[in-house]
Amino acid sequence: MTQQGDNWWDKLYDDAAPDTAPTVSGDTLDDHFDTAPRATTGPPGGTPPPPNPPPAPAAVLPSLPPPVPGRAPWEVPEAGPRTFPPPPPAAPPVETPTVQVPLLPGPAVEGPATEGPAVEQPAPAPATDVTADPGIDAELTVEVSVPVDLPRPRTGFVGSRPPTYEAEPTALPVARPGELADLVPDTVLDGARYGTCTLRAASVRGDSARYRGEPRRDALLTARFGHDETALVLVAVAAGSRAAEDAHLAAADACHWIAEAVCRSHARLSEDIRSGRRGDLKSGLHRLTDRTYGKLRARASERGLAPDEYTATLRCLLVPADPECRTRVFFGIGGGGLFRLREGAWQDLEPLLPEPAAVVGAPVLGFGSPPAAQEATEEGDRLTMDLGITTAPGPLIEQPVPAPPEPFRFRASVARPGDTLLLASPGLAEPMRGEPALARALADRWADREPPGLAAFLADTQLRVTGYADDRTGAAVWEA
């Protein structure tokens, strides 16, 4: 290209040369680049915008402690909690008071709780800076003391050494499909207060059953029938046989059936108790108990079991809700215990059992009785003549009806203020009679004191004794 061609090229594309085409709008790429700096920095040579007005003066708060090297500014320092805002004072404020603020129990530390070192606080800001604003009170210095966690109490024991089994549950009973409704919990706890008496009841699985994963064979039922002064409180305690597989079911059935029978007759029973008709009470309760055991024998037949394979001991206590009536009625069949704590000493109120001969009775003459002895001569010959005639067989001699395993028990006693009546299953009655240390420990805890709470009563009934690992069920009534 010639020199002349270069000149016209330079004139056409020179930056200083004006554009010969008419400008339609300023919306070009170059205009965008030119307006972008002006939008961010403003026009060159323009006056800067007026500064923002200064904020209103505020109170000078206490300065934060200097940041620790290697820590972010927003992290809380490890020196301890800072000064808490003061509560609204009920009296005129006092200069620089010291307030003790208890904290929630934290991890246990060594040393007693009363000698724990106080956490040092950062130095507060000068009082002149804080009280410059009348709406801010003077800063308080707070000393925080961290209490020491005490170890939780474990189940105690009496005797020279602790039992072999663990004090807490180990294995659960086996559950099967379709039988989940038959499961029983490890522990049952209940209580109430009516009139002048306070009731506490607990049933606990024994150490042996807890270790072997067997269900609790003891059953406990507490119920109230009626209202106001005519109400009647029933406590039923049943204990199944240790050798029976379905012992826990038999115990539960016995409690439920006796409760149903008492519920239907509670009005008559309550009237007899308050009127002192002891004979009517004994005969009526004996009839209700026999019906309950009749149902147990029928249920055993339905299950294809022998009557002694589906049975349980049953002990009940009736307490009227009338505060003017202090009569307490006990009845039942089977082993266990009935104790009364009076003036710091235990009394065994278990009714005396009749002699076996009084229960069975003498042979009855008549059909089925043993044949009378025949006379004989001095040589031993019978005074009969054998004519060779075949005689018909004699009457069938049946075996005597077996006596019931346990007779019916009944006792009605009048309580005094300060008495404690204890109804116990065999698992609790046996150590009460066999280990004097247990009886003394319970007497020390229950004599001349307010009735224990539910948790305290459970701990008392769980006092372990070496050699006694069966289920324990007890119901105690404190008289006010």
Side-chain angles (χ1 to χ4, degrees), residues 4 109 121 145 206 286 294 332 354 393 469:
Q4 182 178 359
V109 296
Q121 302 295 327
S145 58
H286 194 176

Side-chain angles (χ1 to χ4, degrees), residues 219-221 234 236-239 250-260 292 314:
L220 172 66
L221 186 145
L234 168 69
V237 175
D253 288 342
C255 288
H256 291 163
W257 287 332
I258 193 63
E260 291 178 357
T292 299
L314 179 62

Side-chain angles (χ1 to χ4, degrees), residues 79-181:
R82 290 185 52 78
T83 303
F84 294 97
V94 184
E95 295 182 356
T96 63
T98 302
V99 180
Q100 297 289 339
V101 179
L103 297 180
L104 295 175
V109 296
E110 296 182 358
T114 56
E115 301 179 0
V119 180
E120 298 182 2
Q121 302 295 327
T128 56
D129 296 339
V130 177
T131 57
D133 190 352
I136 301 179
D137 296 335
E139 184 181 16
L140 302 179
T141 301
V142 180
E143 296 180 1
V144 180
S145 58
V146 180
V148 179
D149 280 347
L150 298 177
R152 294 183 177 180
R154 297 181 61 85
T155 304
F157 69 93
V158 293
S160 59
R161 60 182 179 86
T164 306
Y165 292 104
E166 292 288 338
E168 301 299 332
T170 304
L172 291 173
V174 177
R176 299 180 179 86
E179 301 179 359
L180 298 180

Side-chain angles (χ1 to χ4, degrees), residues 155-156 167-168 187 204 210 457-464 472:
T155 304
E168 301 299 332
T187 303
V204 184
R210 286 176 168 180
F457 180 76
L458 178 61
D460 294 343
T461 55
Q462 280 186 302
L463 282 175
R464 308 169 69 212
R472 285 189 181 184

